[in-house]
Amino acid sequence: MPLDRSQPDLLNAPSRTADSRLRELICGPNLSFLMEAHDALSAAIAEQAGFQGLWASGLSISSTLGYRDSNEASWSEVVDTVERMVSAVSVPVLVDCDSGFGNFNNARLVARKLAQRGASGVCLEDKGFPKMNSFVGERHPLAEVDEFCGRLKAVKDGVADPKFVLVARVEALIAGRSEQEALDRAAAYLEAGSDAILIHSRKATADEILSFAEAWGGRCPLVIVPTKYYRTAVAVYRDAGISTVIWANHNMRAAVAAMRSVCERILREESIAGIEPEVASLNEVFGLLGYDELSRAETLYLPADAPRG
Ligand code: SPV
Ligand code: MG
């Protein structure tokens, strides 16, 4: 259900604290899905479509801000974006925290800020700072295991709320390392306090993910991001005991495709008549942003003869 915008304190104030729903999604017995969002509007659309939880994607947030997914966006820009997202929805948000924006101290600072702004969990990947998007290029140097475990422990200790979820992301397969190294890293990150392991792959099939899942043997929930192996049916993940699938960048990519198509048509046709049936109506936009709540509030709080917005 969309946020009840009749609650004024939820309109703009970063008043949410983590609740247990993200933990239930990721650690529960059923396969769950997190949908990518990168701003308040995409978050509200994903919630209204029926998603129970959101992925605040680093790639998508960077892209919409005009940055490359290589820590060009500052941690505070990410926190501000997440705050707008959280304010727009009632479903929990897992935030892509990249590698934590530095060492253990930066990681715990960002996680704490995100928790204060209402995020329900963070995902930290075992790379250095700056990181590079996992699908770009061949150089993906991994963090030392002990040092990364320190980052995880610092986040766990830094956010006092036990409902806050910590996902550790293993990039060993992205970096071309062995499955054994991926398993060893995952075991160390679990020991360091992670609630779940995100095992990432950029292969076109799910083979290495499924092999990892079998070898992992359900030691803790597994999260996957099937951006490249998108042809695999989710039933396969259910059978493999995967906990959560993240559809990681598809709102952002849908927006790119739709905006490109509309811009090209308006330029070519020198008219907006042709695209009108294909774009969202203004009433849909006003509905998404709760304009009706504002007019109810005006009736409540403005003198009867005051000018209205
Ligand atoms: C993101 O959505 O920013 C992710 C997933 O981290 S990926 O782009 O696959 O690295
Ligand atoms: Mg990312």
Side-chain angles (χ1 to χ4, degrees):
M1 281 296 292
L3 182 68
D4 176 5
R5 289 182 176 277
S6 60
Q7 302 293 314
D9 63 323
L10 291 180
L11 280 176
N12 288 302
S15 57
R16 286 247 311 268
T17 53
D19 57 47
S20 56
R21 286 172 304 157
L22 185 66
R23 185 170 291 280
E24 283 155 19
L25 284 176
I26 292 180
C27 303
N30 300 319
L31 182 66
S32 62
F33 300 92
L34 300 181
M35 181 63 192
E36 172 263 319
H38 48 269
D39 58 15
L41 201 55
S42 56
I45 289 168
E47 177 179 52
Q48 289 192 10
F51 282 100
Q52 307 284 302
L54 303 180
W55 166 249
S57 156
L59 170 63
S60 299
I61 291 173
S62 303
S63 303
T64 55
L65 292 175
Y67 291 124
R68 275 112 13 146
D69 186 19
S70 186
N71 288 127
E72 290 183 346
S74 69
W75 69 261
S76 57
E77 285 174 306
V78 172
V79 169
D80 287 346
T81 303
V82 170
E83 186 244 299
R84 297 307 310 145
M85 293 169 60
V86 167
S87 296
V89 296
S90 60
V91 292
V93 179
L94 174 66
V95 181
D96 177 2
C97 230
D98 291 337
S99 53
F101 295 88
N103 70 1
F104 78 92
N105 189 39
N106 305 91
R108 68 179 178 177
L109 172 68
V110 179
R112 209 181 282 144
K113 289 290 171 202
L114 286 165
Q116 285 167 0
R117 305 281 190 103
S120 294
V122 292
C123 177
L124 230 65
E125 65 195 57
D126 55 356
K127 286 181 172 164
F129 180 90
K131 53 63 67 83
M132 173 49 82
N133 182 272
S134 304
F135 301 136
V136 176
E138 302 304 322
R139 278 199 70 257
H140 292 280
L142 300 181
E144 291 298 324
V145 172
D146 286 351
E147 185 274 327
F148 186 66
C149 286
R151 271 185 256 169
L152 296 171
K153 283 182 192 151
V155 168
K156 202 71 194 169
D157 293 343
V159 183
D161 189 342
K163 298 185 286 317
F164 196 76
V165 176
L166 174 59
V167 178
R169 167 165 156 180
V170 176
E171 290 279 288
L173 304 177
I174 297 288
R177 307 287 182 87
S178 66
E179 178 180 291
Q180 191 55 54
E181 174 163 355
L183 288 163
D184 292 344
R185 283 177 171 268
Y189 305 161
L190 178 61
E191 177 71 26
S194 306
D195 299 298
I197 296 293
L198 190 161
I199 180 69
H200 204 14
S201 164
R202 58 184 200 175
K203 293 269 162 57
T205 70
D207 296 355
E208 66 180 4
I209 290 298
L210 297 174
S211 172
F212 178 94
E214 191 179 353
W216 181 247
R219 276 179 269 173
C220 78
L222 284 186
V223 180
I224 62 169
V225 181
T227 300
K228 292 286 182 181
Y229 46 99
Y230 54 84
R231 287 192 176 85
T232 309
V234 295
V236 174
Y237 305 138
R238 273 195 192 95
D239 290 347
I242 302 291
S243 142
T244 301
V245 171
I246 297 178
W247 309 122
N249 47 48
H250 298 79
N251 262 331
M252 180 272 289
R253 287 165 63 197
V256 169
M259 289 189 285
R260 191 181 290 287
S261 158
V262 157
C263 285
E264 286 171 359
R265 276 192 67 184
I266 293 176
L267 182 72
R268 192 171 62 244
E269 296 171 9
E270 295 186 332
S271 167
I272 51 175
I275 54 93
E276 181 62 24
E278 291 172 30
V279 294
S281 70
L282 286 175
N283 279 341
E284 184 178 347
V285 176
F286 300 151
L288 272 167
L289 276 301
Y291 280 58
D292 51 346
E293 187 279 335
L294 180 54
S295 68
R296 284 197 302 277
E298 285 175 341
T299 311
L300 265 181
Y301 302 121
L302 284 178
D305 55 353
R308 307 283 163 110

